[in-house]
Amino acid sequence: MKFIKFTLITTLLISSLGSFAQSSAGLIAHWNFNGNSNDITGNGHSGTDHNTTNAAGKSGVPNTAYRFNGTSSYITTPYRSDLNMTQYSICAVVKPMGYYTGLCQANFILHRGYQYASSSYGMHYFDNAYDGNNCSNVDTAHNVFTGLTGDGNYQALDAYYTPPIVSNTWYNVVVTFDGTHLKTYVDGVLKSDASPQWGGISGTSTDSLFIGASYNGTGSSYPYWINAYLDDLRLYNRVLADTEIAEYYTNVTIPAFNTSLCMDKTFNLAYNIEGTFKAGNSFTAELSNATGSFASPTVIGTATATAGGVIACTIPTSLTPGSGYLLRVKASNPAKISDAVGVTINSSATPAVTLAATPSASVGGITLVGMGNTITFKATPSTPTTSYIWKKNSTVITGVITDTYTAIAGINFVTNDTISVTYKTGHACATPDSAVAKLTMEISTGIDDINNSFNTAIYPNPNNGNFTLKGYVPVNGDVQVIIQNTVGQTVYTKQVTVSDNSINEPVSLNGFGAGVYHVKLQTTGGSKTMLVTVQ
């Protein structure tokens, strides 16, 4: 039976959550792949990328994982003396998408030094535990996770467990080596426990680390590429306790939701969990500042629970609207933090719309227009708009979907018709989501059209001899009212004093016969003549 050497590594934990907040004791390096391969411990193990791409991690949040393509993707990190160790843990959250099918079929997640060197270690997955150590046999349906341990040899069968890896599935993997036992945990459960036949990790070197390929060389016969997503990777120089390993699998995530949020509005933020949270645990929704910093987060909601659920959240009105905010969920027992999700904070709004008709005059709530005039109705909304609906009385005016409606007085509408517009706002936080404006129309039957000098009309018309002159006149002061019959005889005169450019003058022609009369308004700046019918 063929023997394979397993080089073990500090805990490799790949988590798309950024929520693996266990002890930092003995933590040598930590890569969370949030847009880069930096070592966030500050210990100097930041990587140099080769053909990797940013991707969504386990939580589904963009740019919280790296994609390795299985043919040319890998990361190198520099040598530092703290890489020399004799026991370790490697933790990873990884989603295998395919398998290396070259000689010996290994897939190296993390590898330090040349394989079989006394100072080497690593984490990988392979099919040899199922195929009798046959390096030539390819069995992509039966891969398992395990570790590598310097010059200590293990039988491949010692890494055997069930079920094998399922492609396109996220796994939380921890490998530990204490100098005697090489253990593999998958999703918090111990899957294999192997002991070396001799040796282990005993030497030192100046070798660096490779992520996603073998340190033996990406151009060698044994590159051992991984075709996978990595969300989080950690290396410790100690063996993690069983409770710490269980906590690696305990996480909180935020599923997809509408990230456009409204000030002073309550919304339910859903969260999911993996693993076990303890009694008394609380989940807290936190909001960053406007530039994405959680240095002084704003708590927007809290739920005491040990299971997944929802947090009732309210966005304070004191915030500045913007799209640079981040939102996350923190758990207390054990301490976990979800990946942060980008959100937009919007101010609240009450939509309003005004409606104007041009040319026209407004008298006593009535919009006066001239008979036969082309009238332009223009809606002016207070917030961005997604749609308009125009109506005459209660009937929709078809074919008009913009902020402007053009109509001819006396043809498209008559006196006492109501023209209205309803606009639906595009503002994310408007309450309600629409507003209405309307105008009640009155058509003047005078000889002169409504213009910028006079906007006056006769009400009612026709009439029984009693009527009112209403509307706009271009001057303040004296206005002479002169009424003549059809043969030119003056039957009525009166001088009216106007203020605020508005006339509202009752007239009585009782005692005069039925017929058509000319009503003239005379000012120092001009005149207007209208026709009135007395029945």
Side-chain angles (χ1 to χ4, degrees), residues 4 99-109 115 123-128 135 143-144 148 212-214 222-227:
I4 282 249
Y99 306 92
Y100 178 71
T101 57
L103 196 61
C104 291
Q105 303 91 53
N107 307 261
F108 278 22
I109 296 172
Q115 192 173 6
M123 171 190 270
H124 70 152
Y125 50 98
F126 68 164
D127 65 4
N128 290 305
C135 266
N143 275 251
V144 295
L148 300 164
S214 167
Y222 303 94
Y224 296 151
W225 310 106
I226 62 167
N227 180 3

Side-chain angles (χ1 to χ4, degrees), residues 14-102:
I14 302 177
S15 161
S16 63
L17 310 176
S19 60
F20 298 89
Q22 48 282 333
S23 173
S24 60
L27 182 62
I28 301 302
H30 177 197
W31 304 271
N32 62 11
F33 304 111
N34 286 351
N36 56 58
S37 58
N38 291 343
D39 170 19
I40 63 175
T41 67
N43 291 335
H45 299 289
S46 294
T48 299
D49 301 340
H50 301 270
N51 302 315
T52 57
T53 55
N54 292 314
K58 187 175 182 180
S59 66
V61 176
N63 298 322
T64 57
Y66 261 22
R67 177 71 166 99
F68 294 78
N69 62 24
T71 58
S72 62
S73 300
Y74 65 101
I75 298 170
T76 58
T77 72
Y79 162 76
R80 294 185 68 88
S81 61
D82 57 3
L83 295 178
N84 292 312
M85 59 187 72
T86 57
Q87 60 178 0
Y88 45 82
S89 300
I90 303 173
C91 309
V93 176
V94 56
K95 181 167 73 170
M97 301 300 293
Y99 306 92
Y100 178 71
T101 57

